[in-house]
């Protein structure tokens, strides 16, 4: 693949695509849901692959892409003037960039519950001079998108901003568009939960979708909560390196203990997330594996069903008590075995005779 | 066509322009201006934020121990600052003092946050405003001069000319741009070692941290830290060369983004030898922080007393989408020392959203107007993006003296030890002549070195605890039925305070005040504009483009120098009564698809 300079690609892209080339896939990124931009920021930490590798096409077979991403976009010109970032979203609406993938970051507030104004806006309506709400952008763009991707637990399921008592009536993209919604290409909403997303989880999902768009990969496998199955199939606990303590009935009483944190707030056994197994970035960091209770930030029930975070999950008590009894026995037996295996076999010694079982011919 | 052009309807001959959404910042900020192209000045500016989430509303009635987990989600790039500040607040409210090692670990995490965040923002977000591609599109004459100008510190950073530095900052294709992305990753690894994950920490708790302190933990951190120290030995001279060049190339550029020196710093990185998290001793332990708190007006230190700083905070309305809380219940009438607490203080704030149409003559933003009351005036303090206020305040107080860092009363001396390929190096940040865009940016680079230097001290202190066998990092506590707490720290972008009231064991009131509400605040009830508005209004235009091709780079440099951090958008209408049809060919990230 020839690496194009930014200028030449930009030139090729604006006026459509020559017939013999695969079309450039545009990514329209709306970060103006009820969000903190944490998912955008987290993606810059991805290394498998990194954003520069995705954008510069460093993996074989990736299509050309043009990312319209507020966080690091070069474009910053005035509305209606030179290099206006928001103009790409109007182009998407007018069908001038095809295909495009719509990425939504942040939850979608309910704009219908108040007499006027807006909970969140992204760009201005040239007719009224008022902000265009995020939900209006979703209405305008989703029907034309190749795929809609919800990044982060806010966009997928509502998340923190949809907590009980919130004033905005916030919800996730599937709540807004409908859980059965499918894009014109037949792709369901793709949900990558996490607060924020684990960096490589999102980079990997995006890469998958780009391969799918070229025809190289089959329909992205999603579970009934629209999560990529290969990333969210297992629980935190199944990948947690402190699970051994659980089995042996050893539970931390204080947060700085290296033992299992279930008794002091960890929800790992019932939460679908791969962080302890994968690490946070480059295999470093995590949650319960490094002393941070799992608060279930990837789940549809987050956060309300897991608060107060620092209390023991009610369901954990029964199984933990069981494990305490059984685990104590297991631990005692293992201590005996461990003492044996901690010793070297007796033939490793100095002396004039070999006692390994070998019979010397001399 | 989205283009909308209009002359200001007031017969002034000004041109209305807006930017929405502003890219290369975090979150939502809008800048709406009236520009006088004849005088080449920005005449008026309005800052607007278009996202409301309502943390202080939905936190009411929740368990206080959830506060740091929840408030972290306020911000996706400095959420850990909130978690830290919340943990400080809870420590005060619960009366718990974490073990020293727990505090050193938090300091190391937060130092790594500064190192990561300033690096990615400076090189990958702000840096693009000074890259070859941008300068070519806005000031071709300046680029020509840059090609002919040898970089004074080429020996330190390896770029022969200023234009070579600019080229290295071009998005993605620039060598230094890509290196900085990598640096932003290993600094986040450092952060994750101490706080579990980025940006919302997993291992922070009231009472300390869950991080298991071992020799390995500190070795893994220290080896990365020394790589960063070596990196800073190239980066400080590189940015000095770049920013000094702009003063030389564009005489008068010191006026860009300049405003009166009105700086706030709430102090950061506690010294566990002194900090006991009690309100009664806050004045003393505040002065022992490794970044000294301070309010600076016209270059003079007004106070470095955290208690005084706390009592002076006022939240005004005027142009924001909220109903006033005057006459509502006052939660805290006196602080724990018996000082009166104002009804407009965050401890007593009620957040009553009132969504409505945006009207720049009336209400136009979801941001309120925090001010600092000096007994006479409600000062619209800014943080200058954080570093300039931190260095200025620390320098003036002259209290920090830890070997790696020494405050002199007029400067801050940063001593970096020998690294793999570079000798011991000393940098001195001197109080600048102006509070302007370039000096905010310069301070950001120097503060990266500062954070690395403080981290060296904290890592040594932490490792000493581990070697002595004092590996406890967390202390037990009880949540009282009735209590109040406040926390002060410096988020990456500047002042951060959390104020909490506990009643019946639940959160009765919680108000976080990050730096951006100060910087992006709007005209208050006295009509005083917020810092962005004020700084942009004073900004002269050096861009060579005609109004039709105008990008507003000097305005963008002004706004980005403050390192905005709200989910915001910026609006700009090209005026002059004619429709602008020609669009620049977009470059940068969009369009880099190989």
């Amino acid at each position: 693949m020839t690496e194009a300079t930014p200028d030449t690609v930009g030139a090729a892209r604006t006026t459509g695509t020559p017939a013999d080339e695969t079309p450039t896939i545009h990514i329209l990124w709306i970060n103006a849901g009820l969000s903190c931009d944490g998912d955008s920021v987290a993606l810059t930490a991805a290394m498998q692959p990194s954003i520069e590798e995705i954008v510069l096409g460093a993996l074989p077979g990736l299509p050309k892409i043009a990312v319209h991403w507020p966080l690091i976009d070069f474009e910053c010109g005035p509305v209606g003037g030179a290099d206006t970032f928001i103009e790409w979203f109007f182009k998407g609406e007018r069908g001038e960039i095809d295909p495009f993938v719509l990425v939504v970051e942040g939850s979608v507030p309910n704009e219908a519950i108040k007499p006027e104004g807006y909970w969140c806006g992204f760009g201005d309506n040239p007719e009224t001079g008022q902000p265009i709400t995020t939900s209006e952008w979703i209405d305008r763009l989703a029907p034309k998108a190749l795929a809609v991707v919800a990044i982060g637990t806010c966009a997928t399921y509502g998340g923190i901003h949809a907590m009980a008592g919130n004033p905005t009536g916030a919800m996730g993209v599937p709540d807004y568009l409908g859980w059965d919604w499918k894009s014109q290409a037949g792709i369901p909403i793709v949900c990558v939960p996490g607060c924020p997303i684990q960096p490589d989880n999102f980079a990997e999902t995006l890469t998958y979708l780009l391969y799918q768009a070229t025809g190289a990969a089959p329909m992205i496998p999603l579970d009934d909560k629209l999560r990529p199955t290969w990333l969210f199939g297992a629980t935190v606990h199944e990948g947690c390196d402190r699970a051994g303590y659980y089995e042996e009935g050893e539970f931390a009483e204080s947060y700085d203990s290296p033992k299992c944190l279930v008794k002091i707030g960890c929800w790992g056994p019932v939460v679908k997330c791969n962080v302890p197994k994968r690490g946070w970035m480059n295999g470093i960091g995590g949650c319960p594996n490094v002393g941070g209770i799992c608060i279930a930030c990837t789940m549809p029930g987050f956060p309300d069903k897991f608060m107060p975070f620092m209390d023991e999950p009610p369901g954990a008590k029964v199984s933990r008590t069981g494990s305490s009894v059984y685990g104590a026995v297991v631990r005692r037996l293992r201590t005996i075995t461990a003492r044996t295996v901690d010793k070297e076999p007796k033939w490793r010694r100095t002396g004039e005779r070999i006692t390994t079982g070998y019979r010397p011919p001399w | 066509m989205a283009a909308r052009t209009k002359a200001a309807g007031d017969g002034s001959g000004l041109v209305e322009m807006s930017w929405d959404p502003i890219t290369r910042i975090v979150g939502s900020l809008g800048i709406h201006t009236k520009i006088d192209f004849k005088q080449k000045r920005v005449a008026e500016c309005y800052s607007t934020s278009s996202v409301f989430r309502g943390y202080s509303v939905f936190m009411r009635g929740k368990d206080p121990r959830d506060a740091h987990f929840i408030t972290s989600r306020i911000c996706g790039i400095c959420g850990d600052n909130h978690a830290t500040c919340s943990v400080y607040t809870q420590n005060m409210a619960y009366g718990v003092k974490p073990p020293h090692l727990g505090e050193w670990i938090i300091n190391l995490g937060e130092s790594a946050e500064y190192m990561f965040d300033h690096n990615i923002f400076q090189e990958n977000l702000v840096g693009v405003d000074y890259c070859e591609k941008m300068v070519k599109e806005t000031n071709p004459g300046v680029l020509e001069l840059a090609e002919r100008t040898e970089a004074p510190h080429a020996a330190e950073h390896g770029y022969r000319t200023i234009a070579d530095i600019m080229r290295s900052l071009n998005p993605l294709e620039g060598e230094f741009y890509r290196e900085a992305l990598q640096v932003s990753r290993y600094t986040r690894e450092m952060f994750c070692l101490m706080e579990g994950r980025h940006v919302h920490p997993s291992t922070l708790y009231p009472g300390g941290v869950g991080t298991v302190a071992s020799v390995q933990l500190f070795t893994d951190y220290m080896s990365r830290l020394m790589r960063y120290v070596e990196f800073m030995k190239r980066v400080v001279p590189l940015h000095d060369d770049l920013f000094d060049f702009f003063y030389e190339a564009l005489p008068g550029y010191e006026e860009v983004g300049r405003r009166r020196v009105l700086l706030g710093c709430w102090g950061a990185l506690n010294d566990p030898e002194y900090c006991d998290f009690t309100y009664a001793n806050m004045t003393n332990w505040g002065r022992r922080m490794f970044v000294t708190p301070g309010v600076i007006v016209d270059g003079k230190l007004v106070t470095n007393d955290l208690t005084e700083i706390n009592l002076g905070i006022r939240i005004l309305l005027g142009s924001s989408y909220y109903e006033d809380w005057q006459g509502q219940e006052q939660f805290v009438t006196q602080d724990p020392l018996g000082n009166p607490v104002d009804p407009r203080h965050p401890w007593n704030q009620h957040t009553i959203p009132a969504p409505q149409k945006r009207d720049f003559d009336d209400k136009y933003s979801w941001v309120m107007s925090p001010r600092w009351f000096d007994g006479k005036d409600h000062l619209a303090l800014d943080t200058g993006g954080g570093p300039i206020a931190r260095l200025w305040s620390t320098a003036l107080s002259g209290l920090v003296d830890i070997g790696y860092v020494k405050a002199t009363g007029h400067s801050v001396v940063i001593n970096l030890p020998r690294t793999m390929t570079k000798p011991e190096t000393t940098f001195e940040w001197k109080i600048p002549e102006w509070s302007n865009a370039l000096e905010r940016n310069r301070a950001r680079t120097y503060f990266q070195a500062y954070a690395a230097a403080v981290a060296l001290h904290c890592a040594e202190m932490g490792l000493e605890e581990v070697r002595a066998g004092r590996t406890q990092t967390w202390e037990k506590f009880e949540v009282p039925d009735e209590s109040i707490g406040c926390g002060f720290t410096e988020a990456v972008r500047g002042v951060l305070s959390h104020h909490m009231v506990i009643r019946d064991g639940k959160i009765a009131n919680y108000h976080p005040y990050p730096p951006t509400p100060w910087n992006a605040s709007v005209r208050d009830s006295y009509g005083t504009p917020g810092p962005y508005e004020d700084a942009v209004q004073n900004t002269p235009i050096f861009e060579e483009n005609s109004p039709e091709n105008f990008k507003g780079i000097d305005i963008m440099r002004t706004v980005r120098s403050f390192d905005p951090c709200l989910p915001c958008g910026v609006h700009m209408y090209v005026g002059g009564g004619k429709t602008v049809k020609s669009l620049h060919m977009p470059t940068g990230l969009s369009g880099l698809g190989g």
Side-chain angles (χ1 to χ4, degrees):
Chain A
M1 180 189 271
T2 322
E3 236 179 48
T5 67
D7 282 320
T8 56
V9 176
R13 184 196 47 202
T14 25
T15 48
T17 314
D20 57 336
E21 264 187 56
T22 44
T24 295
I25 298 179
H26 291 259
I27 295 176
L28 293 179
W29 190 304
I30 294 179
N31 65 332
L34 305 184
S35 98
C36 72
D37 278 21
D39 304 306
S40 280
V41 173
L43 183 57
T44 65
M47 285 178 263
Q48 301 168 144
S50 70
I51 49 164
E52 57 272 31
E53 285 167 335
I54 297 174
V55 173
L56 296 171
L59 297 187
L62 275 187
K64 287 179 189 170
I65 65 165
V67 189
H68 309 285
W69 184 17
L71 182 69
I72 62 173
D73 215 282
F74 179 83
E75 291 173 348
C76 60
V79 170
D83 292 351
T84 309
F85 170 79
I86 197 71
E87 184 57 20
W88 289 102
F89 293 75
F90 290 105
K91 283 186 189 181
E93 189 191 359
R94 292 194 299 265
E96 292 168 17
I97 48 171
D98 187 35
F100 69 84
V101 172
L102 177 65
V103 177
V104 180
E105 180 173 1
S107 34
V108 186
N110 187 343
E111 300 283 357
I113 57 175
K114 54 188 178 10
E116 61 168 2
Y118 50 92
W119 296 119
C120 68
F122 187 64
D124 280 356
N125 185 332
E127 306 302 319
T128 62
Q130 294 294 317
I132 299 175
T133 62
T134 298
S135 35
E136 194 180 336
W137 275 121
I138 296 174
D139 295 342
R140 292 179 182 201
L141 294 173
K144 300 204 163 79
L146 176 73
V148 173
V149 181
I151 179 173
T153 301
C154 285
T156 53
Y157 310 125
I160 280 273
H161 307 125
M163 190 187 290
N166 80 77
T168 60
M171 65 194 94
V173 175
D175 299 321
Y176 184 75
L177 283 178
W179 285 80
D180 296 329
W181 185 92
K182 284 198 173 55
S183 75
Q184 43 142 340
I187 307 174
I189 300 166
V190 178
C191 287
V192 185
C195 190
I197 49 121
Q198 197 274 3
D200 292 330
N201 279 356
F202 190 81
E204 211 169 283
T205 307
L206 189 60
T207 309
Y208 188 102
L209 283 171
L210 292 174
Y211 279 127
Q212 186 182 333
T214 66
M219 177 63 79
I220 185 167
L222 304 174
D223 69 13
D224 64 334
K225 297 294 177 285
L226 307 172
R227 298 169 281 218
T229 51
W230 77 93
L231 295 169
F232 293 93
T235 66
V236 166
H237 191 64
E238 285 159 352
C240 183
D241 61 8
R242 293 184 177 204
Y245 286 106
Y246 189 110
E247 190 198 14
E248 295 184 358
E250 296 209 89
F251 298 97
E253 302 282 344
S254 75
Y255 290 94
D256 55 357
S257 160
K259 295 175 185 172
C260 174
L261 300 169
V262 157
K263 199 177 169 183
I264 50 176
C266 183
W267 282 81
V270 293
V271 171
K272 290 185 176 174
C273 173
N274 61 356
V275 162
K277 185 93 175 168
R278 187 165 209 177
W280 189 255
M281 50 187 299
N282 206 16
I284 290 166
C287 298
N289 54 318
V290 294
I293 52 171
C294 171
I295 61 169
C297 73
T298 56
M299 297 296 280
F302 178 76
D304 304 85
K305 292 188 177 175
F306 308 95
M307 289 160 67
F309 296 124
M310 289 170 73
D311 281 351
E312 180 173 19
K317 201 153 195 164
V318 178
S319 47
R320 178 177 59 76
T321 313
S323 157
S324 298
V325 178
Y326 157 87
V329 179
V330 172
R331 195 165 69 244
R332 228 164 288 137
L333 294 172
R334 283 182 184 161
T335 311
I336 297 166
T337 314
R339 230 171 312 178
T340 314
V341 297
D342 216 15
K343 279 186 203 139
E344 286 185 58
K346 58 184 183 303
W347 57 81
R348 294 182 194 160
R349 58 183 183 83
T350 57
E352 285 175 10
R353 241 162 29 84
I354 185 155
T355 55
T356 63
Y358 178 75
R359 287 162 193 270
W362 56 85
Chain B
M1 195 51 207
R4 177 183 154 109
T5 64
K6 114 181 192 205
D10 52 9
S12 59
L14 303 178
V15 176
E16 287 191 9
M17 293 185 128
S18 74
W19 284 257
D20 185 356
I22 270 196
T23 54
R24 282 184 282 114
I25 61 163
V26 175
S28 315
L29 169 76
I31 291 292
H32 184 110
T33 63
K34 288 183 188 167
I35 298 176
D36 184 340
F37 276 103
K38 283 202 193 81
Q39 302 290 320
K40 299 205 124 204
R41 289 197 83 80
V42 180
E44 270 180 53
C45 172
Y46 300 84
S47 150
T48 169
S49 165
S50 49
V51 174
F52 174 75
R53 298 166 304 177
Y55 277 78
S56 44
V57 177
F58 59 69
M59 285 180 76
R60 277 193 299 230
K62 304 293 181 343
D63 191 301
R65 295 170 301 156
D66 290 343
H68 57 292
F69 293 109
I70 297 172
T71 53
S72 182
R73 271 73 188 179
I74 288 172
C75 178
I77 196 159
C78 65
D80 58 288
N81 298 146
H82 283 280
T84 300
C85 198
S86 177
V87 155
Y88 292 169
T89 308
Q90 292 179 65
N91 289 345
M92 183 182 284
Y94 310 157
V96 60
K97 178 180 164 26
H100 286 195
L101 183 52
E103 286 300 301
W104 294 122
I105 286 175
I106 289 183
N107 286 351
L108 289 169
E110 294 305 279
S111 303
E113 170 65 30
Y114 290 128
M115 292 182 238
F116 143 73
D117 193 332
H118 287 321
N119 163 75
I120 197 172
F121 184 76
Q122 185 85 324
E123 318 306 349
N124 302 120
L125 281 69
V126 160
V128 175
D129 285 339
Y130 301 86
C131 78
E132 181 213 29
K133 201 179 296 294
M134 187 68 80
V135 176
K136 196 196 289 173
E137 289 182 15
T138 53
N139 296 80
V142 170
L143 183 59
E144 277 165 36
L145 181 61
E147 297 283 8
R148 299 192 306 267
T149 308
E150 306 242 329
H153 295 98
E156 279 93 324
H157 54 64
Y159 295 103
R160 195 179 62 80
T161 66
I162 300 296
D164 288 339
I165 296 177
M166 291 173 171
R167 255 185 295 281
S168 75
L169 284 166
N170 281 343
L172 295 179
E173 57 181 18
E175 171 191 37
F176 186 62
Y177 180 99
R178 282 201 308 271
E179 182 184 1
L181 275 176
Q182 289 294 1
V183 172
S184 85
R185 290 172 190 142
Y186 75 69
T187 44
R188 274 180 277 193
E189 291 169 15
M190 291 163 69
F191 178 90
C192 291
L193 285 164
M194 297 296 158
E195 300 194 21
R197 63 208 276 277
H198 191 269
V199 64
H200 304 312
S202 57
T203 61
L204 289 197
Y205 304 97
V209 296
T211 312
V212 176
S214 65
V215 172
Q216 179 188 319
L217 178 79
F218 285 90
T219 314
D220 290 1
Y221 186 94
M222 192 61 113
S223 25
R224 287 171 177 78
L225 175 58
M226 291 311 288
R227 277 172 225 153
Y228 190 83
V229 169
E230 174 139 318
F231 177 68
M232 287 322 296
K233 290 177 187 172
R234 283 194 284 133
V235 176
V236 174
L238 182 149
H239 281 301
D240 268 339
D241 285 356
L242 181 64
F243 298 137
D244 287 342
F245 169 77
F246 271 83
Y247 286 130
E248 192 188 308
L250 295 165
Y253 213 75
E254 67 274 6
E255 292 303 317
V256 170
R258 184 177 174 190
R259 80 184 288 250
R260 195 180 153 195
V261 181
L262 286 170
L263 294 169
C265 167
W266 294 172
L269 307 170
N270 288 312
D271 187 341
E273 293 289 339
Y274 300 92
C275 176
D276 62 5
F277 290 103
T278 62
Y279 190 89
N281 298 331
M282 186 162 75
T283 299
N284 295 328
W285 55 256
R287 289 193 174 118
R288 306 305 298 231
M289 287 168 144
F290 297 119
V291 172
T292 317
V295 172
I296 301 144
V297 176
D298 297 329
K300 300 230 158 47
L301 183 71
V302 174
T303 179
N304 59 15
D305 179 344
L306 265 188
T307 313
E308 209 177 305
I309 285 172
N310 177 43
L311 293 169
I313 300 175
R314 300 285 182 276
I315 310 302
L316 304 185
L317 296 173
S319 309
S320 328
Y321 306 139
Y322 301 91
E323 279 174 33
D324 201 275
W325 61 89
Q326 206 157 17
Q328 301 260 351
E329 173 188 18
Q330 195 172 336
F331 293 95
V332 182
T333 50
Q334 288 190 328
D335 74 359
L337 292 166
N339 299 305
V341 177
D342 194 86
R344 302 218 69 87
H345 186 274
W347 261 329
N348 291 319
Q349 184 186 328
H350 294 249
T351 303
I352 312 163
Q356 55 194 282
K357 287 208 170 65
R358 191 175 59 198
D359 177 356
F360 287 103
D361 293 324
D362 185 17
K363 310 276 195 282
Y364 58 87
S365 182
W366 277 112
V367 179
M368 295 189 184
S369 300
R371 300 289 184 256
W372 195 76
F373 186 60
D374 66 355
K376 206 160 70 344
D377 296 310
H378 289 86
L379 302 172
L381 297 184
D382 75 77
T383 74
I388 195 171
R390 286 197 281 278
L391 290 170
W392 207 310
S393 171
T394 303
L396 281 180
S397 280
L399 293 171
V400 177
D401 186 5
I402 52 170
Y404 293 116
V405 175
K406 185 172 168 52
T408 64
H410 61 273
S411 72
V412 171
V413 179
I414 303 160
N415 298 306
L416 300 177
R418 189 181 67 80
T419 48
M420 194 161 66
T421 68
K422 287 187 184 287
E424 192 178 331
T425 306
T426 296
F427 295 119
E428 184 173 14
W429 181 87
K430 297 186 183 118
I431 292 175
E433 276 180 71
W434 316 281
S435 177
N436 66 9
L438 287 176
E439 294 309 326
R440 287 179 201 113
N441 292 344
R442 187 199 305 276
R444 188 172 301 117
T445 303
Y446 275 81
F447 192 79
Q448 288 173 247
Y450 188 99
V454 175
L456 284 165
H457 174 71
C458 297
E460 285 172 2
M461 299 300 282
L463 192 53
E464 206 173 294
E465 294 289 301
V466 173
R467 285 177 178 148
R470 294 186 292 269
T471 54
Q472 189 192 342
T473 58
W474 181 79
E475 185 62 55
K476 266 203 187 57
F477 58 84
E478 296 287 331
V479 179
D481 280 348
E482 311 282 319
S483 189
I484 60 170
C486 60
F488 290 94
T489 187
E490 279 283 301
V492 175
R493 290 157 184 79
V495 300
L496 174 60
S497 59
H498 280 207
H499 285 87
M500 176 166 72
V501 179
I502 301 176
R503 283 186 186 170
D504 300 325
K506 303 280 184 219
I507 294 173
N509 208 15
Y510 201 110
H511 281 96
Y513 270 94
T516 302
W518 291 82
N519 296 329
S521 69
V522 287
R523 284 161 178 76
D524 61 28
S525 40
Y526 300 98
T528 309
Y532 294 164
E533 299 181 326
D534 184 30
V536 171
Q537 279 182 180
N538 290 323
T539 285
I541 304 291
F542 284 86
E543 185 173 334
E544 293 167 27
N545 287 322
S546 62
E548 288 74 20
N549 293 313
F550 185 66
K551 289 167 82 84
I553 187 64
D554 302 305
I555 297 169
M556 291 298 98
R557 284 180 185 145
T558 294
V559 172
R560 288 200 187 95
S561 72
F562 286 96
D563 196 347
C565 177
L566 0 69
C568 333
V570 181
H571 306 238
M572 172 157 179
Y573 302 112
V574 179
K578 58 184 188 304
T579 306
V580 175
K581 290 196 182 107
S582 64
L583 286 176
H584 281 201
M585 199 55 69
T587 51
L589 187 68
S590 2
L592 276 171

